[in-house]
Amino acid sequence: MLDGGVLRISAGAVVINWRRLRDLVAPAECAAVMKADAYGLGAERLAPELYAAGCRSFFVALPAEGIALRQALPDDSVVHVLNGLMPGTAAEYATANLVPVLNSLTQLREWHGLAQSSARRLPAVIQIDSGMSRMGLSPEEMRSLPPIEELSIHLDLRLVMSHLACGDEPDNPANGEQRHCFMEAAKAFPGLQRSIANSAGCFLGPEFHFDLCRPGAALYGLTISPASVPLACAVTLDARITQIRQIEANTSVGYGYTFRATGPMRLATLGIGYADGWPRSASGKGATWFDGTRLPILGRVSMDSTVIDISELPRDGLFPAI
Ligand SMILES: *Cc1c(COP(=O)(O)O)cnc(C)c1O
C-alpha cells in the first residue's frame, strides 16, 4: 500500500520457458544465459530453480557474475564466462571453477599457460567470430591456432561456439552465412561439441541447434523474433494510480508540455517513473494496459510519476478512484 508499484518476477514462468526450449531443441542440450543478473530478474534466485528442472550449463558475461552464480549452484553444473578471460585473471577463474569462453589467441595462451604451469587440465570453450566482429577468434587467428592435439594435452576443450547477429530476422541470409562460416571454422576442432544459437537461433530450426543452445531472452519471456513455442510471461509491473483527472481541449500534460489535448480526456497519474526503471524514452509513445485495454503514455515520463490516457475505460472502470 505504501509503494508506487509492484514488480513481480515468476521463477515458475522461467522454468516453464526453459522446459519448452529444452523440448524444442532436443536432442541438443539447453543451457541458460544469465548475464546481467539474469536480464535483471535475479540470477542467484533463478539459477537453482533451473538447476532443479535439469539445466546444467549456465552462461554469464563477467567473472564476478560467474563467482556469484557458482555459489548458488551445485558442483555438477558448469558456469561459462562469455566475455572471456580478463588479462591476468586466469588463476581466479581456475580457483572459482569458471569456464572461460576463450575469444582470442592471447586468452587461449594465458589459459593454456596456467594449465601447463599448474599441471592441471583446465576446461575451456572456444569462440569463433563467424561474422559479427564482436568476440571470438578471427579467421586470421584461426590460421595460427596450435594443433588441437597439442592444446588438448593441457586444455579440456568442451565446446566451440559462435554467435548470430541477425537471428531475430529468420529470412536474413546472414544466418545461413554465419552458420556455414561457423561449420567450416569448427572443422579445426573435430569431435568437439558445437553451439551457435541464442534464443532467436533456437527458433530458426534444428540446423541451428547443433549440440547446445544458449537462450537468454526467451527464458525470461522476451522475444523479438517469431517464437515457435509459446512463452510464459515472467515479469509483470503493476502501478498504483495516484490521481485521476478530466482535462479539456488545449490542456497540456507533463514536463515541456510535449502533449496537448485536442479534446476532453480522462487522465490517470501513475506512481512510477524513470526512477523505477520505466524508460524515459517511452515518453509520448509507450503504453500501459488495464484488463487488456491499451492506455497510452501522455507526455514525458517523470522521475516518480507517469500520466496515461484512460479515456477508453468506463468511468467506474478503475478502482479505487481517488
Ligand atoms: C546474450 C548472449 C546469448 C543469449 O542471447 P538471447 O538473445 O538473450 O537469447 C547467447 N550467446 C551469447 C554469446 C550472448 O552474448
Side-chain angles (χ1 to χ4, degrees):
M1 295 299 284
L2 300 177
D3 286 314
V6 181
L7 180 76
R8 290 189 181 83
I9 298 164
S10 165
V14 175
V15 169
I16 287 173
N17 290 335
W18 182 79
R19 289 204 177 106
R20 286 184 183 155
L21 290 159
R22 174 199 63 192
D23 294 348
L24 175 72
V25 307
E29 180 185 351
C30 189
V33 177
M34 311 207 83
K35 62 195 182 192
D37 200 22
Y39 295 48
L41 304 190
E44 286 159 63
R45 179 173 154 244
L46 295 176
E49 307 257 359
L50 288 172
Y51 179 90
C55 184
R56 291 294 178 271
S57 292
F58 298 83
F59 288 83
V60 292
L62 300 164
E65 295 175 324
I67 290 168
L69 198 61
R70 255 297 27 129
Q71 281 159 10
L73 284 167
D75 287 342
D76 65 339
S77 58
V78 185
V79 176
H80 307 83
V81 179
L82 288 167
N83 281 14
L85 200 60
M86 307 285 175
T89 60
E92 280 156 84
Y93 281 63
T95 307
N97 191 17
L98 299 176
V99 179
V101 174
L102 302 172
N103 287 318
S104 68
L105 280 183
T106 315
Q107 294 181 6
L108 186 71
R109 279 191 210 105
E110 184 166 345
W111 195 235
H112 187 264
L114 177 70
Q116 215 166 10
S117 63
S118 58
R120 290 172 64 183
R121 207 159 167 262
L122 292 174
V125 169
I126 301 230
Q127 176 153 223
I128 295 170
D129 176 23
S130 59
M132 202 174 168
S133 313
R134 187 180 73 167
M135 276 183 255
L137 276 75
S138 64
E140 200 181 15
E141 285 184 299
M142 285 296 292
R143 281 191 286 276
S144 36
L145 193 74
I148 184 168
E149 304 76 41
E150 197 183 307
L151 289 174
S152 298
I153 298 172
H154 291 291
L155 296 183
D156 170 16
L157 296 175
R158 300 264 178 95
L159 183 75
V160 56
M161 61 171 265
S162 192
H163 193 52
L164 295 170
C166 310
D168 51 337
E169 299 165 23
D171 299 327
N172 195 319
N175 296 321
E177 285 160 20
Q178 279 198 275
R179 177 177 174 272
H180 178 75
C181 172
F182 171 59
M183 282 169 58
E184 286 302 308
K187 284 182 182 161
F189 306 97
L192 220 62
Q193 298 233 311
R194 295 176 294 176
S195 171
I196 197 171
N198 55 353
S199 300
C202 294
F203 303 131
L204 288 178
E207 63 274 28
F208 284 85
H209 297 163
F210 293 97
D211 300 296
L212 177 138
C213 293
R214 312 183 309 268
L219 289 178
Y220 312 110
L222 291 170
T223 45
I224 42 174
S225 58
S228 46
V229 290
L231 296 172
C233 174
V235 188
T236 53
L237 175 62
D238 288 318
R240 179 174 297 285
I241 291 168
T242 57
Q243 286 211 343
I244 287 177
R245 70 196 326 116
Q246 170 87 33
I247 60 168
E248 301 308 323
N250 294 323
T251 310
S252 298
V253 177
Y255 282 119
Y257 281 4
T258 58
F259 178 83
R260 181 183 267 256
T262 54
M265 295 177 94
R266 292 183 75 231
L267 312 184
T269 304
L270 305 179
I272 61 167
Y274 61 77
D276 303 284
W278 187 259
R280 198 166 181 268
S281 58
S283 296
K285 51 189 172 196
T288 58
W289 275 260
F290 185 81
D291 263 356
T293 306
R294 186 177 190 274
L295 307 174
I297 292 174
L298 299 181
R300 284 195 196 148
V301 173
S302 298
M303 185 181 278
D304 298 285
S305 59
T306 303
V307 178
I308 58 168
D309 176 7
I310 58 164
S311 310
E312 286 291 302
L313 295 177
R315 285 218 150 249
D316 56 356
L318 281 173
F319 58 90
I322 295 166

